[in-house]
Amino acid sequence: MPVDQLSAPLTKDQAYALVDAVMERDDLALTASAHENEETGEWFFEATCESPPDVESFVELARQTLGEAVDFSVAPIDPEINWVARSLEGLAPVIAGGFYVYGSHETGPVPGGLTPMKIDAAQAFGTGHHETTTGCLEAIDKVLKRRKPRHMIDVGTGTGVLAIALAKRTRSTVIASDIDPISVTTTIENAAQNGVGTQIVALEATGVNHPTIQRNAPYDLIVANILAGPLMALAPAIGKIARKGAVVILSGILQHQARGVINAYARQGMVLNQKLQRKDWTTLILEMP
């Protein structure tokens, strides 16, 4: 399938607003993101679309959302190149919450006292470099210092990095679910590579709607690093599979979205224990009293 990248320089607030508007529709883009050029400080909106993209619809949506016209540029994406892998090659290892996340290109020794996880770039989200993932790793570390959960689930597992972190630290079984079959396959491969293949039960599931997930409920630790909208929609379902006294770690939340997510889970009886902020992103640690 030919794929194009549509982009435009915007302010930070404009870029995030347009991402939200695009992702509310299912007919414009495969993915949309806002990012900063750390060298120049300039912000960009980017969308990956089936070729050719509907530029006129993007222009109209930008006019409705931002109140002004936006000049988008379009460039083809070479299908023979794994741009995810290429963009992440050479990235330095990540240290967060006592975990050491690195790719196979990293040949240096693992620092002492850290829990190593080898996670390579793949066709699934999550190498440990994003603020949402580091926030979750730090939250997991905080929770495991005061609790010993036995029934755990990672909802929206991506590459399995959070499930693997839990499995390594607790030496217990962790359910890892994702709506994307590629993520499930990637998680299985990464779990085996990290020596916890027998501890990870990877499932293709929409939210927590899977017989294995329901059969193993209730859970005393639930992790979900997705996006604010899906997290709020999942609040009732997650509330039903949470044990009394359970801890729920949520991320993929922009700072201005945190209050909405907190309120959605408060309606399920959960209370905020701690909020971790990394750049524009928030990770929440909630508890079911």
Side-chain angles (χ1 to χ4, degrees), residues 34-51:
H35 70 90
E36 181 185 19
N37 183 322
E38 294 190 358
E39 293 183 0
T40 65
E42 189 174 21
W43 280 81
F44 289 87
F45 164 85
E46 289 184 351
T48 304
C49 314
E50 292 185 21
S51 182

Side-chain angles (χ1 to χ4, degrees), residues 219-244:
Y219 298 89
D220 43 15
L221 178 56
I222 300 169
V223 180
N225 180 14
I226 319 176
L227 290 171
L231 284 175
M232 288 188 283
L234 277 172
I238 287 179
K240 288 179 181 177
I241 65 169
R243 186 188 302 275
K244 289 183 179 179

Side-chain angles (χ1 to χ4, degrees), residues 3-4 20 81 98-99 131 147 157 160 180 186 196 213 262 273 277:
V3 179
D4 290 337
D20 289 343
I81 297 176
F99 295 96
E131 288 80 10
R147 293 173 178 258
T157 194
D180 179 9
T186 302
V196 291
I213 295 174
I262 292 168
N273 177 277
Q277 293 187 340

Side-chain angles (χ1 to χ4, degrees), residues 71-104:
D71 185 16
F72 293 99
S73 62
V74 179
I77 296 177
D78 188 340
E80 300 302 318
I81 297 176
N82 184 341
W83 288 105
V84 176
R86 174 168 289 192
S87 66
L88 294 172
E89 282 178 358
L91 281 181
V94 169
I95 298 176
F99 295 96
Y100 180 81
V101 189
Y102 66 102
S104 55

Side-chain angles (χ1 to χ4, degrees), residues 72-194:
F72 293 99
S73 62
V74 179
I77 296 177
D78 188 340
E80 300 302 318
I81 297 176
N82 184 341
W83 288 105
V84 176
R86 174 168 289 192
S87 66
L88 294 172
E89 282 178 358
L91 281 181
V94 169
I95 298 176
F99 295 96
Y100 180 81
V101 189
Y102 66 102
S104 55
H105 61 272
E106 181 63 37
T107 57
V110 175
L114 299 178
T115 303
M117 292 189 289
K118 183 189 286 186
I119 306 290
D120 284 315
Q123 290 177 286
F125 178 80
T127 61
H129 289 82
H130 197 272
E131 288 80 10
T132 60
T133 311
T134 57
C136 283
L137 291 174
E138 291 173 8
I140 286 171
D141 181 59
K142 290 177 181 294
V143 170
L144 295 186
K145 284 179 177 176
R146 55 189 175 86
R147 293 173 178 258
K148 293 184 178 179
R150 298 187 62 186
H151 299 276
M152 297 168 283
I153 183 169
D154 174 18
V155 181
T157 194
T159 57
V161 60
L162 301 179
I164 292 167
L166 288 169
K168 284 203 160 200
R169 283 281 178 89
T170 66
R171 304 188 182 218
S172 297
T173 300
V174 182
I175 293 177
S177 69
D178 204 288
I179 196 171
D180 179 9
I182 293 176
S183 290
V184 176
T185 301
T186 302
T187 295
I188 292 170
E189 294 170 350
N190 283 338
Q193 179 173 244
N194 283 276

